[in-house]
Amino acid sequence: MTHDGFAAAVSDAATMIDRSVRLTRRNADTLFVSILLPLLMMALFVYVFGGAIETGTQYINYLVPGILLLTTGYGASNTAMAVADDMTSGMIDRLRSLPIRSFAVLAGHVTASVARNSVATAIVVLASLAMGFRPSAGLVEWLAAIGLLLLYVLALSWLAAGLGVIAKSVESASTLSFFMLFMPYLSSAFVQPETMPRWLRPISEHQPITPVIETVRSFLTGSPMGNSGWIALAWCGGLLIASFTLATVLFRRRARR
Amino acid sequence: MIVEATNLRKSYGRTEVLGGVDLAVREGEVVALLGPNGAGKTTIVRILTTLTRPDAGRATIAGYDVVREPTKVRGVISLTGQYAAVDDNQTGRENLVLVGRLMHLGRQAARQRAGELLDRFGLNNAMNHRVKTYSGGMRRRLDLAMSLIGDPQVIFLDEPTTGLDPASRLTMWEAIAELVRDGTTILLTTQYLEEADRLADRIVLLDKGRITAAGTADALKAQIGGQRIELYFAEQTDAIKAVDVLGGVADGTLVNLPSDGTAAHLHAVLDELRSQGLQPVRVSSHRPTLDDVFLTLTA
């Protein structure tokens, strides 16, 4: 039995991923709701509000990239709650009294989170195609869009893990992650920022979600990309590094009291 | 000494939780930390199991320093905490295999060890059910089984039966007694004198972050008596006079004193009081409780 070295760390992370994925499967109703809600939002905007919103294209073609980011928001909020559940139950003491890297505990949650979000996003894409979404993307554009979304989901999952570590309870983790669900509404997800009041426009244009949506939209529907691709990459990369550092440092500190 | 702690101190903000605790446990020994809520029992366990850093003092487990070599320490200990640390949405078997794999037993060996422990703790019938369907007693037994997966050299049990019904408590005691027979080194915390008496070779009394007494269960019991007599008087002055005559401890109009529980002793006590012109209103007798221990040994 050796507990040192890279192989041991990889093995611990694999075991913890296994656990998180199994717990996700057993908690199917939470997963179901986190897919159902974005689907309902999409139906609502396509069939109810969409007719009144002018975007210069078929509204569903404008809407889908934003719905995809909304989906990841729901997924990330589940991740924050799962981490908080571990932190506030006796489980964290058991895990931390074992000779494993503390990194493995969060890595398990984050990997399961990325897997959950990928499944949810794929389902939402399929549903959108059924509802009339007609992307113009070729294989390369699809791959680029998927790559950016994965990077965004990874960054958001580490942020969620960090919020789960800070939260004093599962309920407060859910409250803390509320902004991840709210941010898409203040972005270019549903309406063009130009239609917003003057004071809100800069917020909408300069928050991280808008460039990600614009880039995915450009890849999938051929809308102009401008420099949003690079801005999106910078946001996602920066958010990933910051969230990862924050989550792991806070985890170690919180666990050390 | 497989567990050795000197001058452990810990404060949270301005509240001192541990005010300099020394503790040593020999290999194969079972030591109970006995004390009321807030005495600092859990803090000691958390420091020794590397979950909390002491403000001052030093502790080693099997020669490894808990602050400087936490991973080494974690390799030789196990912790069963106050709240069963189990995944509700995994089965009993999956919970065991999870810990086995985190101890790097290998998939096959982890499964085999899980099977043995399920057998030993009477969880065979429920092994493929999710833990959320388990009773409180089953959860604790699973929790204990999980902490045995890696064959730890020192087992920490933090209030292993708090919150259990009497029947589950008995089953848990039997499970722990079996570990004791195997010669495992155990440090347990409890609020129940009976539990400490039943399981431990040596009892350490802890109050307000300090050790107030230590010794074998027999030695402590010899000091407090196998039975307690309570005498209720009409006047506080009578109670104080009674203590002058008989010894024991006065608390208002109540006098509490050690006894061997025989009728002859009770007779002798009452005769002695009568000869002094003292007449208790009511008399009762009970087995010593933690309160009696603390009244007697820390007053």
Side-chain angles (χ1 to χ4, degrees):
Chain A
M1 279 195 291
T2 167
H3 303 294
D4 296 320
F6 186 67
V10 170
S11 152
D12 291 343
T15 306
M16 292 311 291
I17 290 167
D18 205 29
R19 164 180 181 254
S20 291
V21 169
R22 184 177 301 132
L23 291 178
T24 299
R25 281 208 323 263
R26 303 261 162 99
N27 203 355
D29 36 346
T30 308
L31 185 62
F32 180 70
V33 168
S34 68
I35 297 174
L36 187 68
L37 285 175
L39 286 179
L40 285 175
M41 291 302 292
M42 181 161 68
L44 190 67
F45 272 87
V46 169
Y47 298 124
V48 181
F49 304 139
I53 301 172
E54 188 50 60
T55 57
T57 56
Q58 270 290 4
Y59 185 61
I60 189 163
N61 288 344
Y62 180 85
L63 178 70
V64 168
I67 291 290
L68 295 183
L69 266 77
L70 191 69
T71 311
T72 59
Y74 282 108
S77 128
N78 288 340
T79 305
M81 287 193 274
V83 172
D85 192 27
D86 267 4
M87 295 300 290
T88 52
S89 73
M91 204 59 196
I92 198 65
D93 286 344
R94 151 136 294 137
L95 294 172
R96 291 199 48 259
S97 67
L98 292 170
I100 60 171
R101 301 291 164 93
S102 51
F103 166 79
V105 178
L106 290 181
H109 281 295
V110 168
T111 310
S113 167
V114 172
R116 261 196 316 263
N117 275 299
S118 303
V119 171
T121 308
I123 291 173
V124 171
V125 168
L126 290 178
S128 73
L129 292 171
M131 287 166 73
F133 177 47
R134 292 293 169 262
S136 62
L139 181 65
V140 175
E141 286 84 6
W142 269 110
L143 289 178
I146 290 170
L148 178 63
L149 281 172
L150 275 177
L151 182 66
Y152 175 74
V153 164
L154 186 65
L156 199 64
S157 297
W158 275 109
L159 180 62
L163 293 177
V165 172
I166 299 170
K168 296 270 188 291
S169 68
V170 177
E171 291 73 26
S172 72
S174 156
T175 313
L176 278 177
S177 49
F178 173 73
F179 78 92
M180 293 196 282
L181 300 179
F182 192 66
M183 290 287 267
Y185 295 95
L186 296 182
S187 74
S188 65
F190 300 101
V191 298
Q192 293 171 321
E194 298 86 71
T195 64
M196 294 180 186
R198 203 185 239 304
W199 58 271
L200 192 56
R201 226 176 289 162
I203 299 175
S204 169
E205 281 166 2
H206 297 295
Q207 64 134 312
I209 291 183
T210 296
V212 178
I213 290 178
E214 289 305 317
T215 308
V216 172
R217 191 177 278 145
S218 168
F219 282 136
L220 295 187
T221 66
S223 63
M225 163 112 51
N227 55 4
S228 42
W230 297 114
I231 298 176
L233 264 185
W235 266 115
C236 290
L239 189 65
L240 176 59
I241 293 167
S243 305
F244 174 81
T245 312
L246 187 80
T248 47
V249 167
L250 285 176
F251 182 84
R252 229 169 280 150
R253 181 173 308 166
R254 163 113 195 238
R256 256 299 187 179
R257 274 188 309 196
Chain B
M1 291 293 166
I2 193 157
V3 176
E4 203 155 11
T6 34
N7 195 29
L8 290 181
R9 287 173 187 277
K10 181 77 185 176
S11 300
Y12 290 105
R14 287 195 166 170
T15 316
E16 184 186 68
V17 186
L18 293 182
V21 167
D22 297 327
L23 191 68
V25 181
R26 281 194 317 277
E27 200 163 348
E29 194 179 24
V30 181
V31 172
L33 283 176
L34 178 65
N37 268 332
K41 304 186 299 288
T42 297
T43 305
I44 293 179
V45 168
R46 288 185 66 85
I47 289 173
L48 295 178
T49 54
T50 75
L51 297 181
T52 298
R53 230 182 248 271
D55 296 339
R58 185 166 180 272
T60 58
I61 310 284
Y64 300 123
D65 189 288
V66 295
V67 173
R68 282 182 292 123
E69 302 164 289
T71 309
K72 290 257 170 52
V73 171
R74 289 170 197 160
V76 298
I77 61 158
S78 79
L79 168 65
T80 301
Q82 258 175 65
Y83 307 99
V86 292
D87 272 336
D88 278 343
N89 274 320
Q90 295 205 75
T91 68
R93 192 159 179 269
E94 286 165 346
N95 267 291
L96 283 164
V97 172
L98 169 76
V99 177
R101 296 198 52 202
L102 291 175
M103 294 302 291
H104 301 166
L105 291 187
R107 203 179 282 260
Q108 202 56 44
R111 285 195 188 143
Q112 196 190 330
R113 188 87 178 102
E116 287 165 21
L117 288 164
L118 286 164
D119 226 15
R120 172 166 170 191
F121 286 92
L123 293 167
N124 255 334
N125 291 331
M127 71 176 183
N128 290 323
H129 298 175
R130 293 193 200 176
V131 172
K132 65 178 170 196
T133 66
Y134 285 21
S135 69
M138 288 163 76
R139 292 167 68 91
R140 290 289 180 98
R141 289 206 309 277
L142 176 64
D143 197 29
L144 185 58
M146 282 163 79
S147 60
L148 297 180
I149 283 259
D151 285 318
Q153 293 182 40
V154 185
I155 296 177
F156 292 88
L157 303 172
D158 193 12
E159 305 205 4
T161 65
T162 298
L164 288 186
D165 60 71
S168 309
R169 172 168 297 158
L170 272 180
T171 321
M172 195 70 183
W173 278 347
E174 278 160 24
I176 297 170
E178 200 178 312
L179 296 178
V180 174
R181 279 196 294 277
D182 292 349
T184 319
T185 309
I186 299 176
L187 183 68
L188 68 98
T189 74
T190 181
Q191 304 187 39
Y192 309 112
L193 179 64
E194 191 190 354
E195 181 163 290
D197 181 18
R198 221 180 150 118
L199 299 172
D201 305 321
R202 198 152 57 84
I203 298 174
V204 174
L205 282 183
L206 197 67
D207 191 36
K208 301 192 185 78
R210 286 183 168 79
I211 289 173
T212 50
T216 63
D218 286 343
L220 290 181
K221 270 199 293 193
Q223 287 182 61
I224 55 174
Q227 195 78 16
R228 304 294 293 186
I229 297 177
E230 284 180 335
L231 305 163
Y232 299 83
F233 290 90
E235 301 292 333
Q236 194 168 352
T237 49
D238 287 353
I240 293 166
K241 275 185 222 158
V243 170
D244 287 340
V245 178
L246 299 166
V249 190
D251 181 11
T253 58
L254 169 71
V255 171
N256 191 316
L257 56 134
S259 166
D260 56 10
T262 59
H265 180 247
L266 187 57
H267 261 297
V269 165
L270 294 175
D271 288 346
E272 180 75 30
L273 287 174
R274 190 179 304 142
S275 73
Q276 299 292 321
L278 294 165
Q279 187 74 31
V281 182
R282 203 152 57 79
V283 176
S284 74
S285 166
H286 65 90
R287 299 186 51 149
T289 64
L290 189 54
D291 283 345
D292 298 319
V293 176
F294 279 93
L295 268 176
T296 314
L297 297 178
T298 69

